[in-house]
């Protein structure tokens, strides 16, 4: 059961993963929902904008809820697989009865020695910022069977339980990554692709304090020119564009989901003053922060 952590610097709360018996934190959780009285009943806080600090995998058997991930609306469809990665902003418009299987796991779980290879797989990296995978009948049978095996193992608490859960998770993540690659045209992983993902991960950690390519190149033990060349070759975008895109995403998140002033948002994102932030935002989005806030909130309402 997710629980609210200590307040963040912004007013968008982050939920951590906790065992469903309430006894402390865990790295993995598996559960089933069964219609009107299933276990997918949400904490009311989930109907407010929030982040999760864990990966969430959900196989939906029935239900028609509507929710947003960052700025994209989704209507939940039966026999579809949904997934999110840490720190995306979630907003559920309605939390009705849902049937399916849900699995959550943390980045700490992926950092375990036997699991580190999973970090490089497309479903975990999610370069397309996707959220759903379409399933044909054979995919549905395989994924449901695998997740039910995990559910049995999770609830049994038997000998070598974690090893079994890890083994089934590896199978599931690899299978889903194949589907992800087919549906989102993912290319195979290379050393340069891994460099792109490392660069993007660093931006995720330091976007508020590091705005230039040279700083990231130093952390990766590369020259700025080499980093720029690789990033452009792998993604079609320059390194500085990746940095700026992340700043814009974070700015939009705060403009939509918080009541922070433009000056406060500029401060949080490491800009020297709000005037420079306003120019930066307008140059990349063709609108001002205030105009964007009014437009996106009107769309939500």
């Amino acid at each position: 059961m997710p629980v609210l952590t200590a307040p963040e610097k912004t007013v968008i709360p982050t939920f951590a993963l906790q065992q469903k018996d309430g006894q402390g934190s865990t790295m993995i959780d598996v559960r089933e929902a069964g219609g009107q009285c299933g276990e997918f009943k949400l904490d009311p806080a989930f109907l407010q904008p929030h982040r999760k600090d864990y990966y969430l995998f959900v196989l939906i058997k029935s239900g028609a809820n509507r929710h947003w991930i960052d700025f994209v609306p989704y209507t939940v469809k039966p026999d579809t697989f949904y997934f999110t990665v840490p720190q995306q902003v979630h907003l559920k418009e309605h939390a009705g009865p849902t049937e399916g299987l849900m699995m959550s796991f943390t980045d700490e779980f992926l950092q375990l020695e036997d699991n580190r290879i999973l970090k490089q797989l497309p479903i975990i990296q999610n370069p397309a910022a996707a959220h759903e995978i379409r399933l044909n009948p054979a995919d549905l049978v395989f994924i449901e069977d695998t997740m039910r095996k995990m559910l049995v193992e999770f609830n049994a608490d038997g000998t070598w339980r974690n090893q079994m859960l890890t083994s089934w998770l590896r199978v599931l993540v690899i299978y889903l990554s194949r589907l992800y690659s087919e549906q989102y045209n993912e290319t195979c992983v290379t050393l340069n692709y891994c460099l792109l993902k490392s660069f993007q991960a660093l931006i995720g950690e330091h976007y508020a304090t590091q705005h230039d390519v040279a700083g990231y190149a130093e952390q990766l033990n590369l020259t700025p020119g080499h980093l720029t060349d690789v990033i452009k070759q792998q993604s079609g975008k320059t390194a500085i564009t990746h940095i700026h895109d992340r700043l814009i995403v974070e700015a939009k998140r705060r403009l939509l989901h918080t009541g922070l002033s433009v000056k406060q948002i500029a401060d949080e994102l490491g800009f020297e003053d709000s005037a420079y932030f306003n120019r930066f935002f307008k140059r990349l989005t063709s609108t001002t922060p205030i105009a964007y806030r009014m437009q996106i909130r009107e769309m939500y309402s």
Side-chain angles (χ1 to χ4, degrees):
M1 185 71 67
V3 295
L4 187 61
T5 63
E8 291 187 309
K9 190 175 181 182
T10 72
V11 297
I12 304 176
T14 295
F15 291 90
L17 190 63
Q18 191 179 54
Q19 291 179 350
K20 59 186 174 183
D21 60 9
Q23 301 298 313
S25 296
T26 183
M27 292 187 290
I28 189 169
D29 184 83
V30 189
R31 63 184 65 198
E32 182 176 15
Q36 293 284 348
C37 57
E39 291 188 60
F40 278 10
K41 292 181 179 179
L42 296 176
D43 186 304
F46 269 26
L47 296 175
Q48 301 297 322
H50 64 278
R51 304 176 194 257
K52 295 178 174 69
D53 71 352
Y54 51 89
Y55 297 85
L56 177 64
F57 283 10
V58 183
L59 174 63
I60 296 294
K61 297 291 293 177
S62 68
N65 298 336
R66 180 177 166 88
H67 62 279
W68 293 66
I69 302 297
D70 283 329
F71 322 108
V72 182
Y74 293 90
T75 298
V76 171
K77 300 181 288 290
D79 298 337
T80 305
F81 192 87
Y82 293 90
F83 62 99
T84 63
V85 299
Q87 302 309 317
Q88 291 179 298
V89 176
H90 302 240
L91 175 64
K92 287 193 176 291
E93 293 184 4
H94 173 66
T98 302
E99 296 186 34
L101 294 158
M102 178 175 73
M103 179 177 63
S104 307
F105 54 96
T106 64
D107 194 62
E108 181 183 4
F109 181 78
L110 294 178
Q111 295 298 336
L112 298 176
E113 187 66 34
D114 291 342
N115 301 341
R116 289 180 183 174
I117 190 173
L118 302 180
K119 285 280 288 185
Q120 304 304 324
L121 292 175
I123 193 75
I124 300 297
Q125 293 287 339
N126 194 15
H131 182 51
E132 64 181 11
I133 291 180
R134 303 180 303 277
L135 304 178
N136 64 35
D139 296 331
L140 180 62
V141 169
F142 184 91
I143 290 170
E144 182 173 3
D145 180 65
T146 303
M147 293 185 75
R148 289 199 177 279
K149 286 182 169 66
M150 295 188 70
L151 180 66
V152 169
E153 193 65 39
F154 182 81
N155 290 326
D157 198 20
T159 306
W160 299 305
R161 170 179 179 260
N162 288 338
Q163 288 86 342
M164 284 292 289
L165 285 171
T166 298
S167 296
W168 284 121
L169 180 61
R170 288 167 67 95
V171 170
L172 182 64
V173 171
I174 291 170
Y175 191 92
L176 288 167
S177 290
R178 289 176 176 172
L179 299 181
Y180 185 107
S181 297
E182 293 169 3
Q183 294 180 26
Y184 296 101
N185 298 317
E186 263 305 286
T187 56
C188 61
V189 174
T190 64
L191 288 177
N192 282 346
Y193 177 80
C194 290
L195 176 58
L196 169 64
K197 302 317 297 179
S198 295
F199 174 60
Q200 291 173 328
L202 281 176
I203 295 173
E205 295 175 16
H206 304 292
Y207 61 83
T209 56
Q210 186 70 62
H211 293 180
D212 62 273
V213 175
Y216 290 103
E218 182 177 356
Q219 293 184 68
L220 292 166
N221 297 313
L222 299 170
T223 66
H226 179 63
L227 177 61
T228 296
D229 289 343
V230 172
I231 299 307
K232 182 65 181 295
Q233 183 267 327
Q234 286 293 310
S235 69
K237 299 193 298 186
T238 63
I240 194 64
T241 299
H242 281 272
I243 297 169
H244 288 174
D245 284 352
R246 182 55 186 264
L247 285 167
I248 290 295
V249 166
E250 293 297 329
K252 286 181 174 180
R253 284 172 169 169
R254 288 159 173 79
L255 288 165
L256 173 59
H257 295 300
T258 80
L260 295 174
S261 69
V262 172
K263 182 181 185 307
Q264 288 172 314
I265 294 172
D267 289 342
E268 285 201 351
L269 297 181
F271 288 84
E272 294 180 0
D273 57 68
S274 58
Y276 175 49
F277 171 68
N278 269 281
R279 293 194 300 272
F280 171 82
F281 191 92
K282 186 171 184 179
R283 176 165 59 85
L284 270 68
T285 66
S286 300
T287 188
T288 66
I290 292 297
Y292 173 80
R293 171 173 271 169
M294 294 174 62
Q295 176 188 16
I296 193 67
R297 288 186 174 180
E298 182 178 340
M299 186 170 69
Y300 258 91
S301 61

